[in-house]
Amino acid sequence: MIIGVPKEIKNNENRVALTPAGAKELIKRGHSVYIQHTAGEGSGFPDAEYEAAGAKILPSIEATYEIAEMIMKVKEPIESEYKLIKENQLLFTYFHFASYEPLTKAMIESKAVCLAYETVEKADRSLPLLVPMSEVAGRMAIQKGANYLEKPLKGRGILLGGVPGVLPAKVLILGGGIVGTQAAWMAAGLGADVTIMDVSLPRMRYLADVMPANVKTIMSNEYNVRNLIKDADLIVGAVLIPGAKAPHLITRDMLKDMKPGTVLVDVAVDQGGCIETCKPTTHENPTFIIDDVVHYCVANMPGAVPYTSTLALTNATLPYAIQLADKGWKKAAQENADLVPGLNVINGEVVYEAVAQAFDLPFTPVEKYLA
Ligand SMILES: NC(=O)c1ccc[n+]([C@@H]2O[C@H](COP(=O)([O-])OP(=O)(O)OC[C@H]3O[C@@H](n4cnc5c(N)ncnc54)[C@H](O)[C@@H]3O)[C@@H](O)[C@H]2O)c1
């Protein structure tokens, strides 16, 4: 198969969909890989590394879309790319269709095959191509939180791990899923006093088993939240209710109960946030302050560490990309059920029900194409 990797053009997106190592794996299997000039540069992979792996470099985005049977990307195509997409071309990338109607309509019009990273799903309902970014964001939440707790950045001026003779900082983590667990590991490793809140007892039993002694778990409810925020130095929002807006566990009125200089990192901001006062911010302007409480609410945290994020993402996407390249999308989906819910739009038809519902569009069951 001919695989094309365009350079991401979305503002501040430095990740790339394929590393030189990934290119080599595909080329070894007899596929051709074309990389747009400088596509890997933002992640630390120069053209020469792709060439050494056997890929060819193309000068423009137009040439990359023109030649490819499968396009591998990171973010959804943006408007200037719509016209470059060809009928029957396979696009393997994040789409988040339900949040943007013009993209959905453009992909229907293109008659391409759109396989969305975010809806590839395993039998246990986990989302293997979203997990790596949650892992990055969870770990980063503590790095950022520790930083903003410093006085010059308007934090309380407390060191997460304390020092001998001085108590460590208190870190409260709302939600003990992927983000929350990774955040807890990082905070515990730095010596902080960590509490994870969740509503799932099985999850908290698991966490209690695997976490070090400086991590405790407690049931998430309003009473406990109100109590614990008074003492917390750093609070990480990591709640997810699949398919729904995040619940506001911390409301506006609760800020006055917090210590001045408390730092809130609401990782769940991309689903509306679990802290009422959090509104999406960017890496250029990541924080704002309300009632002396520092809010960090960057909606694409992994974007700040493109080297790690690209490797984490491609570790997860490459096995699927290899199947798609070896077998074509139809046979690959017939033989690997994870890929079936990833199919969102095929040949001008919406085959993912939630996307059709979001914009009141006709829905075609994906089975029509897999029979
Ligand atoms: N900002 C970013 O850059 C970024 C990056 C990656 C992920 N995210 C977001 O982070 C959020 C968390 O993702 P995840 O992968 O950890 O999800 P997850 O499904 O693994 O974990 C969510 C956890 O929240 C718990 N939960 C649900 N309701 C709760 C409540 N009322 N109180 C406490 N806990 C509750 C669940 O039991 C679950 O353990 C998502 O919104 C995701 O989109 C943001």
Side-chain angles (χ1 to χ4, degrees):
M1 187 181 274
I2 302 172
I3 296 141
V5 181
K7 184 179 171 77
E8 296 297 322
I9 45 181
K10 195 163 178 169
N11 188 23
N12 262 308
E13 181 53 67
N14 287 299
R15 288 174 292 177
V16 62
L18 192 67
T19 61
K24 197 175 181 82
E25 289 304 314
L26 287 162
I27 291 161
K28 243 172 42 189
R29 286 169 170 79
H31 304 297
S32 307
V33 175
Y34 290 86
I35 309 281
Q36 187 188 338
H37 171 55
T38 70
E41 212 160 62
S43 294
F45 303 117
D47 287 352
E49 282 193 33
Y50 288 99
E51 285 179 307
K56 296 191 182 61
I57 304 298
L58 289 176
S60 65
I61 192 165
E62 288 81 7
T64 312
Y65 273 94
E66 181 54 37
I67 202 165
E69 294 167 275
M70 168 161 72
I71 288 286
M72 289 184 70
K73 271 180 60 59
V74 177
K75 297 304 280 188
E76 71 281 1
I78 64 167
E79 251 164 83
S80 60
E81 290 172 286
Y82 294 171
K83 60 180 185 304
L84 305 177
I85 296 166
K86 301 185 298 181
E87 192 169 335
N88 288 327
Q89 198 166 42
L90 172 60
L91 305 177
F92 189 37
T93 188
Y94 286 121
F95 278 102
H96 296 287
F97 276 119
S99 59
Y100 194 47
E101 190 171 6
L103 171 72
T104 310
K105 296 244 161 99
M107 292 306 106
I108 290 172
E109 211 165 289
S110 74
K111 299 211 161 143
V113 177
C114 301
L115 217 161
Y117 290 167
E118 69 275 8
T119 57
V120 171
E121 189 175 317
K122 288 190 167 292
D124 64 3
R125 308 224 55 197
S126 63
L127 303 169
L129 305 187
L130 277 183
V131 166
M133 293 306 101
S134 286
E135 290 172 333
V136 171
R139 289 182 173 224
M140 218 178 126
I142 298 304
Q143 207 168 297
K144 284 291 162 192
N147 193 220
Y148 283 102
L149 276 172
E150 290 172 16
K151 199 76 187 168
L153 295 173
K154 310 280 186 256
R156 282 201 70 219
I158 185 169
L159 193 59
L160 270 195
V163 289
V166 181
L167 288 176
K170 290 196 169 167
V171 176
L172 176 63
I173 299 175
L174 310 172
I178 311 284
V179 168
T181 302
Q182 297 300 318
W185 280 121
M186 289 297 108
L190 287 169
D193 175 351
V194 184
T195 304
I196 306 178
M197 304 191 103
D198 206 295
V199 284
S200 161
L201 269 179
R203 185 68 191 171
M204 286 192 286
R205 283 195 186 106
Y206 162 78
L207 292 169
D209 266 353
V210 301
M211 285 287 160
N214 54 338
V215 179
K216 291 155 277 175
T217 58
I218 184 168
M219 181 54 78
S220 171
N221 54 44
E222 186 181 336
Y223 185 89
N224 286 341
V225 170
R226 282 194 184 271
N227 260 336
L228 288 168
I229 58 171
K230 291 182 199 151
D231 274 343
D233 299 294
L234 168 60
I235 301 176
V236 176
V239 165
L240 177 67
I241 300 179
K245 248 179 126 250
H248 286 154
L249 301 190
I250 295 184
T251 49
R252 174 77 177 83
D253 67 295
M254 294 185 192
L255 297 190
K256 64 175 180 341
D257 298 331
M258 296 179 190
K259 292 180 284 196
T262 298
V263 174
L264 309 180
V265 177
D266 197 352
V267 184
V269 67
D270 62 336
Q271 300 292 330
C274 56
I275 296 165
E276 188 179 13
T277 42
C278 275
K279 299 282 166 288
T281 58
T282 61
H283 289 294
E284 283 77 56
N285 216 350
T287 58
F288 56 90
I289 295 175
I290 302 177
D291 287 356
D292 292 328
V293 172
V294 181
H295 293 58
Y296 175 98
C297 319
V298 174
N300 66 330
M301 294 172 68
V305 287
Y307 175 78
T308 304
S309 297
T310 288
L311 287 169
L313 178 64
T314 56
N315 281 345
T317 54
L318 185 66
Y320 293 111
I322 288 173
Q323 292 166 38
L324 293 166
D326 285 352
K327 303 175 185 175
W329 66 267
K330 200 173 277 189
K331 188 153 185 275
Q334 282 163 344
E335 293 180 6
N336 184 348
D338 297 5
L339 289 168
V340 175
L343 290 161
N344 279 233
V345 178
I346 303 175
N347 190 28
E349 296 187 300
V350 178
V351 296
Y352 193 86
E353 200 165 5
V355 175
Q357 277 169 359
F359 307 121
D360 214 4
L361 291 165
F363 166 65
T364 306
V366 70
E367 288 71 26
K368 170 180 166 184
Y369 288 97
L370 299 178

